[in-house]
Amino acid sequence: MQGKNYSLKLISHEVKHIKFDVISNKMPIGEIPFSFTSIMKKKNDDEISIDLVADIHADDYPIALSLDLNGVFYLKNWESLNMNKDIELKLVQILFPYLRAIITNVTALTDTTTITLPIINVLSLLDEQSN
């Protein structure tokens, strides 16, 4: 990201919505049916809000989970950067580990297998989902 003297800081993050259903207690096999989208909004001159909306769901998968994680970021002088995909990518990269941890913690509290999302290249995942 190019710009003059910009500053980026995560102010807060919170789970706005979570829904978790155990469909069966069988051990999941294969790839986790995971998808997510990001929604970025300007809150004011120096704050940006981003929602990571994640879903784990498939007909043959033993759990269903939907989660909306909101992060609020302080970004001084961000108007010189133009609000674009570069900023969104940075914000998602910062917030995504929190999303992974929440999914792991929620599933660890059940009698199903704990789900730990693999470390993901967020850029390629966003590119994949925009196609």
Side-chain angles (χ1 to χ4, degrees), residues 1-2 82-91 93:
M1 292 185 343
Q2 295 177 357
N82 298 321
M83 193 161 137
N84 59 30
K85 285 292 183 186
D86 291 338
I87 294 171
E88 183 176 7
L89 175 61
K90 290 289 183 202
L91 302 184
Q93 286 174 324

Side-chain angles (χ1 to χ4, degrees), residues 40-56:
M40 188 170 65
K41 299 175 195 159
K42 177 181 177 179
K43 286 188 69 144
N44 59 45
D45 287 344
D46 291 332
E47 290 183 7
I48 297 175
S49 172
I50 189 162
D51 284 290
L52 297 186
V53 181
D55 284 299
I56 296 176

Side-chain angles (χ1 to χ4, degrees), residues 7-63:
S7 174
L8 174 64
K9 177 181 172 183
L10 175 61
I11 298 171
S12 66
H13 67 286
E14 69 175 329
V15 175
K16 289 173 57 177
H17 167 82
I18 188 165
K19 183 177 181 192
F20 180 64
D21 292 316
V22 177
I23 298 161
S24 78
N25 289 334
K26 70 178 184 174
M27 184 160 172
I29 299 172
E31 192 172 319
I32 300 167
F34 171 76
S35 65
F36 88 99
T37 56
S38 60
I39 304 159
M40 188 170 65
K41 299 175 195 159
K42 177 181 177 179
K43 286 188 69 144
N44 59 45
D45 287 344
D46 291 332
E47 290 183 7
I48 297 175
S49 172
I50 189 162
D51 284 290
L52 297 186
V53 181
D55 284 299
I56 296 176
H57 180 77
D59 290 339
D60 60 346
Y61 206 69
I63 67 146

